[in-house]
């Protein structure tokens, strides 16, 4: 291994083409970093209730998620632009551990209250914003687009594995009273430290990419306007369901976000090539179309991923750990489809068909999920998850490869981080919209189920309802006073069967609505796929393409 590290370090420093083995050595560090960021998005969710109980902060727990999401999203475009200007390695090392992700993880693991934890999660988010986007940009630097398909499965395996393992690991750690003298839930954050150090060590040793510094101004005003536009909108997306979408607080933040976004567009036009997100890129049809597609993929992906565990845990009654294992077909679908599409891309150079077919699989998988019931055989939702995973595996990486191949190599960082940025934004709004629809409709669906049941089993229902709490009876009546019962759905498992079926079918009806809405979002995704211009995949990596562009610029000057 040490010899491979030395070879990879030497060849990347000289800017030579790398062998498959040397690329894998570099990828090992990048994949560890990606695993940290992807895992951190899911590992906290299943343990959040336990963490909030321990820190006496149930009412403020949403800020732990919101803080991480905001900083990771806002920082993503900054990493892309700055790495194009000054090189990838210093910013990737900064994102992993030199004061950011590892430090944020360590601090989160020793947090003493819920607000301190939210602040430290914000620090983690700053690091996470660079881990994924820079990893994809670095791959674009060292692997030609024509050959990149060979390595897609590795990235999708990391994403799929983290999506499945996150809830499992989070549930296991949160369920332990203490581990090595620390509360079990604290290891959800502390486990990042050794993995982060390993990634930091590998990347520091082997990632020595040649880079020509670009003399550009740092767009501080653009960065500030971007943050001022995105932060209020993300905050409303996360908190709007609790605040009320029409409340003064929500409307005020939406107004601020829209005004700042408009100002950002005008400022970026003024900055030209020095802009943090050059508007020139949107003149490239592949970049503009795939940006919209990435936003929609994010909506569909995170909307589906948010609803599926709720079906398995609330409707089917599985523990978070069991629900994680039952989601394995999702990961297998992602990995299998990504590997297959990657091999076809490498051999044929064709890729346009994959996002179209992938979007179709996403739509079919979600439509199938909309037919699920509380008593269907568990193998059925597992099969539907595999179909959904195939759609993700065919779509996600292909969109990144297509945009990296279509823009100038000098914009590798900006284009890659933009793809990640739009996908994250789509995921945030998709999750907020779909979960809002779910929890706002569930009371009405439970009431409808209860009304229907009163005609068939009035006596049994009357006896069972007498033992419910007031808020639970309000929920059956469709009253707003019953909404507090939705904060803790564990009571459903203790209900008599006649009432349990009403609540489970009510939740299932709301999840059916969510799956149908998510499937509807996949329809424009299919249509947009036909408008992506298929440009022949380059056979040179990003570094070689940048050098060729530089030589082409210098040659005319030398002649004169």
């Amino acid at each position: 291994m040490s010899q491979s590290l030395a070879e990879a370090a030497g060849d990347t420093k000289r800017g030579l083409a790398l062998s498959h083995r040397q690329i894998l050595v570099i990828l090992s560090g990048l994949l560890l970093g990606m695993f940290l960021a992807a895992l951190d998005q899911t590992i906290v969710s299943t343990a959040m209730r336990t963490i909030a109980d321990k820190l006496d902060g149930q009412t403020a727990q949403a800020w732990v998620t919101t803080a991480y999401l905001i900083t990771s999203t806002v920082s993503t475009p900054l990493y892309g632009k700055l790495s194009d200007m000054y090189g990838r390695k210093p910013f990737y090392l900064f994102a992993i551990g030199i004061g950011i992700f590892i430090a944020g993880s360590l601090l989160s693991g020793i947090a003493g209250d819920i607000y301190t934890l939210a602040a430290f999660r914000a620090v983690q988010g700053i690091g996470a914003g660079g881990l994924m986007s820079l990893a994809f940009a670095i791959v674009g630097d060292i692997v030609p687009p024509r050959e990149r398909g060979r390595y897609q499965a590795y990235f999708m395996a990391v994403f799929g594995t983290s999506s499945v393992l996150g809830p499992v690991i989070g549930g296991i750690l949160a369920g332990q009273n203490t581990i090595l003298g620390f509360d079990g839930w604290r290891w959800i954050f502390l486990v990042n430290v050794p993995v982060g150090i390993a990634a930091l060590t590998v990347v520091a040793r082997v990632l020595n990419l040649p880079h020509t510094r670009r003399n550009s101004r740092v767009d501080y005003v653009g960065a500030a306007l971007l943050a001022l536009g995105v932060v209020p909108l993300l905050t409303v997306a996360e908190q709007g369901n609790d605040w009320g979408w029409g409340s003064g607080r929500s409307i005020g933040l939406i107004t601020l976000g829209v005004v700042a976004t408009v100002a950002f567009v005008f400022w970026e036009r003024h900055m030209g090539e020095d802009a943090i997100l050059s508007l020139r890129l949107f003149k490239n049809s592949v970049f503009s179309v795939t940006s919209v597609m990435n936003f929609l993929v994010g909506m569909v992906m995170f909307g589906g991923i948010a609803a599926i565990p709720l079906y398995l845990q609330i409707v089917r009654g599985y523990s978070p750990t069991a629900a994680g294992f039952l989601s394995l077909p999702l990961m297998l679908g992602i990995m299998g489809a990504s590997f297959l599409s990657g091999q076809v891309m490498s051999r044929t150079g064709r890729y346009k068909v994959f996002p179209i077919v992938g979007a179709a699989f996403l739509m079919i998988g979600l439509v199938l999920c909309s037919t699920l019931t509380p008593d269907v055989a568990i193998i059925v939702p597992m099969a539907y998850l595999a179909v959904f995973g195939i759609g993700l595996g065919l779509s996600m990486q292909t969109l990144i490869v297509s945009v990296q191949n279509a823009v100038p190599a000098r914009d590798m960082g900006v284009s890659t981080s933009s793809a990640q940025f739009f996908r994250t934004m789509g995921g945030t709004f998709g999750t907020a919209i779909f979960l809002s629809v779910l929890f706002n409709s569930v009371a009405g669906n439970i009431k409808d189920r209860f009304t229907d049941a009163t005609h068939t089993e009035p006596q049994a229902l009357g006896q069972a309802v007498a033992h419910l709490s007031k808020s639970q009876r309000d929920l059956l009546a469709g009253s707003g006073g019953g909404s507090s019962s939705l904060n803790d759905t564990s009571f459903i498992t203790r209900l008599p069967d006649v009432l349990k079926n009403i609540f489970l079918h009510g939740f299932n009806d709301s999840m059916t609505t969510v799956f149908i809405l998510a499937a509807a979002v996949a329809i424009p995704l299919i249509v947009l796929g036909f408008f992506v211009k298929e440009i022949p995949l380059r056979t040179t990596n990003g570094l070689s393409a940048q050098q060729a562009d530089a030589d082409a610029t210098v040659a005319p000057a030398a002649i004169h």
Side-chain angles (χ1 to χ4, degrees):
M1 178 68 175
S2 60
Q3 183 178 1
S4 297
L5 290 174
E7 291 174 357
D11 284 348
T12 54
K13 190 170 184 178
R14 291 190 299 270
L16 302 177
L18 304 181
S19 68
H20 174 67
R21 181 184 180 188
Q22 292 163 341
I23 290 173
L24 289 180
V25 173
I26 297 175
L27 286 186
S28 64
L30 301 181
L31 292 174
L32 282 172
M34 279 190 62
F35 181 75
L36 284 174
L39 185 69
D40 217 54
Q41 293 177 350
T42 57
I43 193 173
V44 177
S45 58
T46 53
M48 198 59 242
R49 180 181 172 188
T50 300
I51 295 172
D53 282 341
K54 296 291 185 181
L55 296 179
D56 194 24
Q58 281 291 349
T59 59
Q61 63 168 283
W63 288 108
V64 175
T65 303
T66 303
Y68 178 91
L69 178 69
I70 287 173
T71 55
S72 61
T73 304
V74 172
S75 62
T76 296
L78 300 177
Y79 281 110
K81 180 65 175 182
L82 293 175
S83 69
D84 280 342
M85 293 170 60
Y86 303 111
R88 315 272 185 241
K89 182 174 181 177
F91 292 99
Y92 197 77
L93 294 178
F94 175 80
I96 295 178
I98 305 179
I100 300 299
F101 194 85
I102 294 177
S105 299
L106 184 60
L107 291 170
S108 296
I110 61 175
D113 61 74
I114 199 72
Y115 294 103
T116 303
L117 177 60
F120 293 153
R121 285 282 286 167
V123 175
Q124 268 190 305
I126 295 173
L131 290 179
M132 280 199 178
S133 59
L134 289 183
F136 287 126
I138 291 167
V139 171
D141 286 335
I142 64 176
V143 182
R146 182 67 179 262
E147 298 179 15
R148 211 166 297 160
R150 298 173 61 191
Y151 305 95
Q152 279 189 183
Y154 298 109
F155 288 95
M156 289 296 95
V158 167
F159 179 83
T161 301
S162 63
S163 298
V164 173
L165 289 184
V168 175
I169 297 174
I172 292 174
L173 293 177
Q176 307 300 311
N177 289 327
T178 59
I179 301 175
L180 299 178
F182 291 93
D183 293 336
W185 68 265
R186 295 186 182 276
W187 284 97
I188 290 173
F189 307 106
L190 296 177
V191 73
N192 290 332
V193 177
V195 180
I197 291 174
L200 188 67
T201 302
V202 175
V203 173
R205 185 165 183 181
V206 306
L207 191 62
N208 297 297
L209 305 179
H211 178 75
T212 302
R213 178 166 175 162
R214 289 162 55 179
N215 295 321
S216 301
R217 293 176 293 170
V218 179
D219 186 10
Y220 295 111
V221 175
L225 288 173
L226 177 65
L228 194 59
V230 171
V231 170
L233 296 177
L234 289 177
T235 303
V236 173
E238 286 291 299
Q239 305 288 334
N241 202 42
D242 294 329
W243 294 347
W245 298 104
S247 67
R249 188 187 307 183
S250 295
I251 293 175
L253 285 176
I254 290 173
T255 302
L256 175 61
V258 171
V259 170
T261 300
V262 172
F264 171 75
V265 172
F266 280 104
W267 178 259
E268 296 302 272
R269 179 179 297 177
H270 166 72
M271 290 295 291
E273 287 300 306
D274 293 331
I276 194 171
L277 181 57
S278 177
L279 300 184
R280 165 181 54 82
L281 291 174
F282 289 95
K283 296 179 181 179
N284 184 312
S285 64
V286 175
F287 180 88
S288 57
V289 173
T290 56
S291 293
V292 179
M293 293 181 70
N294 273 307
F295 184 88
L296 295 176
V297 166
M299 286 191 69
V300 174
M301 175 176 65
F302 286 102
I305 289 177
I308 288 167
L310 292 178
Y311 168 80
L312 293 173
Q313 294 178 47
I314 296 178
V315 177
R316 302 308 299 263
Y318 290 103
S319 68
T321 302
F325 283 115
L326 290 172
S327 300
L328 280 173
L330 174 67
M331 180 187 71
L332 296 176
I334 292 173
M335 290 176 59
S338 180
F339 177 80
L340 177 63
S341 61
Q343 291 298 313
V344 174
M345 286 170 58
S346 294
R347 293 175 182 176
T348 67
R350 308 301 297 269
Y351 57 89
K352 179 176 180 175
V353 66
F354 294 117
I356 299 172
V357 176
F361 268 93
L362 288 175
M363 183 183 69
I364 293 170
L366 289 166
V367 169
L368 290 173
C369 285
S370 72
T371 66
L372 294 173
T373 62
D375 51 5
V376 70
I378 193 60
I379 192 66
V380 175
M382 293 176 70
Y384 295 169
L385 285 180
V387 175
F388 187 70
I390 291 172
L392 291 177
L394 292 174
S395 304
M396 294 173 60
Q397 280 296 97
T398 311
L399 290 174
I400 291 181
V401 172
S402 63
V403 74
Q404 287 181 335
N405 182 66
V407 302
R410 61 192 178 94
D411 293 321
M412 184 71 70
V414 171
S415 62
T416 306
S417 64
S418 296
Q420 185 68 30
F421 173 78
F422 287 115
R423 184 178 297 168
T424 303
M425 289 288 289
T428 302
F429 285 102
T431 303
I433 292 170
F434 295 141
L435 291 186
S436 177
V437 168
L438 192 155
F439 286 106
N440 284 333
S441 65
V442 69
N445 287 328
I446 290 174
K447 177 188 175 182
D448 292 341
R449 288 284 183 173
F450 177 69
T451 301
D452 293 340
T454 56
H455 299 303
T456 57
E457 302 177 272
Q459 185 175 357
L461 275 178
Q463 295 174 351
V465 170
H467 296 88
L468 295 179
S469 67
K470 182 181 183 303
S471 63
Q472 292 164 2
R473 290 196 298 272
D474 288 342
L475 193 57
L476 287 174
S479 169
S483 59
S484 60
S485 296
L486 298 178
N487 292 327
D488 182 1
T489 58
S490 61
F491 75 90
I492 296 176
T493 60
R494 301 187 294 270
L495 294 175
D497 287 343
V498 66
L499 279 178
K500 183 188 295 184
N501 287 333
I502 290 173
F503 279 90
L504 294 183
H505 279 88
F507 269 99
N508 193 82
D509 292 342
S510 293
M511 290 176 188
T512 295
T513 303
V514 168
F515 287 130
I516 291 175
L517 287 175
V521 175
I523 295 175
L525 190 59
I526 296 173
V527 174
L528 285 171
F530 287 98
F531 290 92
V532 175
K533 181 180 179 181
E534 188 172 48
I535 300 173
L537 294 175
R538 291 196 302 260
T539 57
T540 57
N541 61 33
L543 292 176
S544 299
Q546 289 183 54
Q547 185 60 50
D549 291 343
D551 292 343
T553 302
V554 171
I559 293 175
H560 293 293

